């Protein structure tokens, strides 16, 4: 083989991947210089495509490459565009397309090799054509569905949307399509897909046809071995990654979520039959109560809680410190340094001290519903199959929303908050993405970032995410105060964050559980519930673990019940969590051992 031919193959391989690097920034994909998910994937694609050309003697211009090239660019082009647009002004990082790239690159090479082998072996040619058609057809149908969904909703299809699909019957599905797309438009989409799939079939047939003029020479043994290795490598890679892309992955997450949610709900219904208020039924307030859940928030990095911190990471909350309506609980700790385990107690009657079984779970939303509030759940986090507490909170809410790009801009929760009726009694739970790693992904590109001399870029990114959360909280508070007659607002973190070890179930550090909590009570609320306000001020500097949020919220509701204990309610005069009692990590670690505990 001539050097010139080898050079041609290499340049074509480079160009095939470079096309993506022209398209990506044009649609809003960033961080292309990232080695793990950007440059390394592109290099792997170049090597894979170059090797396939080299060993077969067929350049990317040959018809046998065309079926794979069509689905390769259609898929990556459509998914990168839609996901970037769903991410709003931020776009997305190239990492978000990692699974798609690692699926479609081997699909490109594998379908080409099937075409090539088919042109050599007449006996299995039809079988290989059918295999290629089914593989490309499956991916093509998936991308057409994804594009159609984007056309309807202006956002990419998520696991949350798949939950809705799995809960929908055929009649509802047809009504949905008629309402949102119309049968005329649907017919056009189906006609376009039919034409497209016929075109793919024609490309497959043409690509595996023997060139009657020149024929096909069977490759030497060494080349046969290399082709076999490439084929198997591509097939194994496809088998590994295709379940991790649309629609298989959203289906997996949604299906697992629904199975666990169904079991939890069945038991939950039994629990609600036993639930009752103590004394007279509480009266709902003529306004709104909001609970905001932060993510990976370390109060040591928050100026409002730690005045000695060298950067102003909480400008809004710091400005409210002297406001008599705000209460900053400066000795708050998480009950566990993992989201699911923390929230399974924070939002329910379970805590580290009362011994209530997980199967006897009652949520703060259940209490709100019983009091008579209209309950709402707004989340900027994708559903997690393992987090049944959030499933119960979401499922029992009057309305539940997940942002169009979960994990993106937390400020998007405002779009849903603004749909809440302004003249009703509302209870709203808002789940932020907060400071979940990677921290820099939580910050808008044009946001005024934090920079402290001597701090690493990672710490500055983290502090900037804390500052942006402060801005989001400011917007939630101000809108609710101006429009929803805000009676009370609670903010707490699910857990803290260590700048070296992050958070988790392994090595423990105190930074992982140094979480924030503050409470806002309106002047009107304090006039009507002066004891709650006074008790909260008295207890403001006492140790508080976030597994007691349920009791605190019940106290704010003025709704004592059979799952509530005034000794765990920091708004009660009988609050009794002493320093020697307080624990974390489900009772394994005593908070009195924390050298950073303030007096």
């Amino acid at each position: 083989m001539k050097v010139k031919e080898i050079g041609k193959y290499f340049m074509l391989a480079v160009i095939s991947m470079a096309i993506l690097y022209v398209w990506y920034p044009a649609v809003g994909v960033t961080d292309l210089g990232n080695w793990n998910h950007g440059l390394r994937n592109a290099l792997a694609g170049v090597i894979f495509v170059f090797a396939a050309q080299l060993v077969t003697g067929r350049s990317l211009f040959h018809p046998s490459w065309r079926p794979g090239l069509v689905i390769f660019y259609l898929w990556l082009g459509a998914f990168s565009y839609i996901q970037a647009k769903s991410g709003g002004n931020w776009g997305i990082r190239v990492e978000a397309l990692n699974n798609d790239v690692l699926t479609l690159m081997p699909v490109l090479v594998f379908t080409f090799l099937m075409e090539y082998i088919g042109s050599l072996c007449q006996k299995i040619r039809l079988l290989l054509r059918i295999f290629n058609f089914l593989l490309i057809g499956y991916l093509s149908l998936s991308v057409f569905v994804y594009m159609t969904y984007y056309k309807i909703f202006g956002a990419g299809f998520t696991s949350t949307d798949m939950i809705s699909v799995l809960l929908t019957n055929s009649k509802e599905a047809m009504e949905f399509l008629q309402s949102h797309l119309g049968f005329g438009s649907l017919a056009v989409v189906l006609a376009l897909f039919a034409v497209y799939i016929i075109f793919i079939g024609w490309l497959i047939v043409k690509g595996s046809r023997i060139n009657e003029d020149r024929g096909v020479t069977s490759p030497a043994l060494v080349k046969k071995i290399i082709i076999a290795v490439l084929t198997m490598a591509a097939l194994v890679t496809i088998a590994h990654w295709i379940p991790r892309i649309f629609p298989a992955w959203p289906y997996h997450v949604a299906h697992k979520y629904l199975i666990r949610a169904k079991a939890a709900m069945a038991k939950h219904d039994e629990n609600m039959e036993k639930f009752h208020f103590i004394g007279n039924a509480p009266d709902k307030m003529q306004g709104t109560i909001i609970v905001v859940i932060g993510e990976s928030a370390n109060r040591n990095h928050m100026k409002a809680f730690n005045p000695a911190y060298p950067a102003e990471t909480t400008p809004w909350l710091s400005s409210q410190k002297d406001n008599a309506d705000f209460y900053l609980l400066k000795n708050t700790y998480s009950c566990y340094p993992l989201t699911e385990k923390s929230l399974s107690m924070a939002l329910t009657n379970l805590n580290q001290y009362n011994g209530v079984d997980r199967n006897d779970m009652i949520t703060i939303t259940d209490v709100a519903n019983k009091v008579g509030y209209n309950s709402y759940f707004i989340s900027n986090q994708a559903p997690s199959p393992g987090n049944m507490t959030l499933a119960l909170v979401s499922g029992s809410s009057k309305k539940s929303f997940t942002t169009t790009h979960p994990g993106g801009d937390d400020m998007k929760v405002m779009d849903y908050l603004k749909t809440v009726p302004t003249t009703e009694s509302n209870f709203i739970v808002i789940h932020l993405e907060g400071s979940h790693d990677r921290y820099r992904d939580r910050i808008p590109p044009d946001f005024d970032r934090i920079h402290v001399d001597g701090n690493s870029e990672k710490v500055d990114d983290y502090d900037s995410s804390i500052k942006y959360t402060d801005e989001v909280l400011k917007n939630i508070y101000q809108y609710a105060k101006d429009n929803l007659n805000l009676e009370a607002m609670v903010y707490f973190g699910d857990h803290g964050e260590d700048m070296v070890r992050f958070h988790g179930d392994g090595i423990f550090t105190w930074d992982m559980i140094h979480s924030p909590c503050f409470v806002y009570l309106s002047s009107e609320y304090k006039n009507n519930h002066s004891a709650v306000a006074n008790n909260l001020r008295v207890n403001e500097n006492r140790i508080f673990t976030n597994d007691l949020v349920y009791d605190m919220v019940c106290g704010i509701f003025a709704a004592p019940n059979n799952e509530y204990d005034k000794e765990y309610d920091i708004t009660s005069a009988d609050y009794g969590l002493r320093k020697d009692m307080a624990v974390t990590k489900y009772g394994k670690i005593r908070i009195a051992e924390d050298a950073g505990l303030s007096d």
Side-chain angles (χ1 to χ4, degrees):
M1 186 177 292
K2 296 180 179 179
V3 173
K4 184 178 180 181
E5 197 74 8
I6 295 174
K8 174 186 173 183
Y9 294 154
F10 180 74
M11 286 304 301
L12 287 174
V14 171
I15 292 171
S16 69
M17 296 299 122
I19 289 173
L20 295 178
Y21 271 68
V22 173
W23 172 258
Y24 281 169
V27 299
V29 180
T30 62
D31 201 26
L32 299 181
N34 180 289
W35 170 250
N36 289 332
H37 305 104
L39 296 177
R40 186 173 65 181
N41 286 348
L43 179 60
V46 169
I47 293 172
F48 223 1
V49 171
F50 172 66
Q53 292 178 99
L54 191 64
V55 76
T56 61
R58 291 186 177 180
S59 77
L60 279 171
F61 293 127
H62 194 278
S64 51
W65 280 98
R66 291 170 189 167
L69 285 169
V70 169
I71 189 59
F72 179 78
Y73 288 119
L74 176 63
W75 183 286
L76 294 179
F79 274 74
S80 60
Y81 176 84
I82 292 172
Q83 290 188 35
K85 297 307 174 187
S86 300
N89 296 330
W90 299 18
I92 56 168
R93 296 190 182 276
V94 71
E95 179 181 350
L97 298 166
N98 186 62
N99 293 1
D100 301 281
V101 171
L102 293 179
T103 303
L104 272 295
M105 281 196 312
V107 164
L108 169 61
V109 174
F110 181 78
T111 52
F112 161 69
L113 292 174
M114 293 298 97
E115 297 283 278
Y116 173 75
I117 295 170
S119 68
L120 297 178
C121 307
Q122 185 173 357
K123 291 182 179 180
I124 61 171
R125 185 180 304 152
L126 178 60
L127 180 63
L128 297 181
R129 284 174 173 173
I130 293 173
F131 190 92
N132 262 1
F133 183 79
L134 292 176
L135 175 60
I136 296 176
Y138 166 76
L139 294 169
S140 298
L141 178 61
S142 300
V143 77
F144 264 75
V145 168
Y146 198 81
M147 290 189 295
T148 302
Y149 186 88
Y150 176 71
K151 175 65 176 176
I152 296 172
F153 291 104
F157 194 102
T158 66
S159 301
T160 308
D161 304 310
M162 185 62 78
I163 292 172
S164 300
V165 170
L166 295 180
L167 292 174
T168 301
N169 56 44
S170 57
K171 181 176 180 295
E172 291 173 336
M174 291 304 295
E175 290 173 350
F176 170 84
L177 290 172
Q178 184 177 10
S179 174
H180 289 85
L181 193 61
F183 287 126
S185 298
L186 179 60
V188 171
V189 171
L190 292 175
L192 287 173
F193 181 73
V195 171
Y196 164 85
I197 209 70
I198 290 171
F199 172 66
I200 288 293
W202 176 74
L203 289 179
I204 290 172
V205 169
K206 187 176 180 182
S208 61
R209 185 182 299 159
I210 295 176
N211 189 320
E212 301 296 341
D213 296 329
R214 300 175 58 186
V216 176
T217 304
S218 179
L221 179 60
V222 174
K223 288 189 175 181
K224 286 183 179 179
I225 294 173
I226 296 174
I227 290 170
V229 170
L230 281 175
T231 302
M232 288 304 299
L235 184 59
V236 169
T237 306
I238 293 169
H240 175 78
W241 288 106
I242 206 167
R244 291 164 171 79
I245 63 171
F246 180 83
W249 185 250
Y251 175 84
H252 166 76
V253 172
H255 181 66
K256 190 174 180 181
Y257 181 87
L258 288 174
I259 288 176
R260 294 187 175 183
K262 184 177 180 180
M265 283 302 233
K267 181 61 180 173
H268 181 251
D269 291 341
E270 296 178 18
N271 297 337
M272 287 305 298
E273 291 178 3
K274 305 172 187 175
F275 179 84
H276 61 271
F277 294 115
I278 297 173
N280 297 327
D283 295 325
K284 64 182 178 182
M285 286 162 253
Q286 300 304 309
T288 295
I289 297 174
I290 297 177
V291 173
V292 183
I293 309 167
E295 171 67 50
S296 303
N298 183 340
R299 58 179 161 80
N300 296 341
H301 286 250
M302 303 173 75
K303 188 79 168 180
F305 290 92
N306 179 16
Y309 199 68
E312 179 52 274
T313 55
T314 55
W316 169 71
L317 188 58
S318 294
S319 71
Q320 303 297 332
K321 285 178 62 176
D322 297 326
N323 185 335
D325 295 338
F326 279 77
Y327 305 77
L328 274 63
L329 309 186
K330 298 178 181 179
N331 283 314
T332 298
Y333 291 79
S334 297
C335 61
Y336 211 95
L338 284 173
T339 299
E340 191 277 330
K341 290 188 174 183
S342 172
L343 296 186
S344 68
M345 289 192 171
L347 302 177
T348 72
N349 56 328
L350 280 64
N351 64 51
Q352 300 172 100
Y353 316 101
N354 62 12
V356 175
D357 189 87
R358 193 180 181 93
N359 290 326
D360 298 324
M361 190 180 290
I362 298 290
T363 74
I364 56 174
T365 301
D366 296 326
V367 182
N369 290 338
K370 279 285 189 178
V371 175
Y373 291 96
N374 292 320
S375 54
Y376 298 84
F377 179 70
I378 303 171
S379 179
N380 191 33
Q381 292 202 18
S384 169
N387 202 328
M388 286 304 97
T389 301
L390 288 178
L392 292 176
V393 171
S394 171
S396 59
S397 298
K398 177 182 178 181
K399 287 188 178 180
S400 178
F401 305 99
T402 301
T403 59
T404 55
H405 185 62
D409 187 357
D410 270 335
M411 200 67 77
K412 281 186 172 292
V413 301
M414 294 299 302
D415 296 340
Y416 304 93
L417 184 62
K418 291 175 181 178
T419 68
V420 175
T422 59
T423 57
E424 298 181 5
S425 298
N426 306 302
F427 176 69
I428 307 168
V429 176
I430 301 176
H431 193 192
L432 301 179
E433 187 73 5
S435 298
H436 197 290
D437 195 34
R438 289 186 311 180
Y439 315 128
R440 57 182 170 173
D441 291 345
R442 312 280 82 85
I443 314 159
D446 57 350
F447 186 66
D448 184 20
R449 296 167 55 89
I450 296 289
H451 175 72
V452 176
D453 290 340
N455 280 355
S456 67
E457 182 180 9
K458 182 172 73 172
V459 173
D460 283 344
D461 286 345
Y462 180 77
D463 288 347
S464 298
S465 72
I466 292 288
K467 183 180 178 183
Y468 188 62
T469 297
D470 183 75
E471 182 70 16
V472 173
L473 290 170
K474 172 186 174 182
N475 277 262
I476 293 172
Y477 163 79
Q478 199 62 56
Y479 176 81
K481 191 170 184 288
D482 293 343
N483 300 278
L484 297 175
N485 187 19
L486 183 65
E487 293 275 6
M489 176 173 163
V490 176
Y491 167 76
F492 72 95
D494 56 354
H495 51 73
E497 188 82 337
D498 185 287
M499 294 295 95
V500 176
R501 301 190 181 279
F502 305 100
H503 64 271
D505 225 348
I507 297 174
F508 171 83
T509 69
W510 289 105
D511 274 337
M512 295 180 183
I513 61 161
H514 280 174
S515 57
C517 181
F518 75 77
V519 179
Y520 160 81
L521 300 177
S522 71
S523 298
E524 181 181 0
Y525 177 93
K526 291 190 295 183
N527 288 336
N528 295 327
H529 301 87
S530 57
V532 170
N534 293 336
N535 294 333
L536 187 57
R537 185 65 72 195
V538 169
N539 296 328
E540 187 175 13
N541 291 322
R542 294 184 66 177
I543 293 175
F544 176 75
T545 52
N546 69 359
D547 50 329
L548 306 183
V549 166
Y550 172 91
D551 297 277
M552 176 173 67
V553 171
C554 287
I556 293 172
F557 282 148
N561 55 77
N562 61 315
E563 299 298 336
Y564 159 87
D565 192 328
K566 59 185 178 181
E567 291 189 12
Y568 302 134
D569 174 13
I570 199 168
T571 72
S572 168
D574 296 313
Y575 181 63
L577 184 64
R578 301 188 309 272
K579 181 177 179 179
D580 62 321
M581 292 172 51
V583 292
T584 185
K585 212 171 183 184
Y586 285 10
K588 293 181 180 179
I589 297 174
R590 300 173 65 82
I591 286 175
E593 298 171 4
D594 179 17
L597 177 61
S598 60
D599 296 327

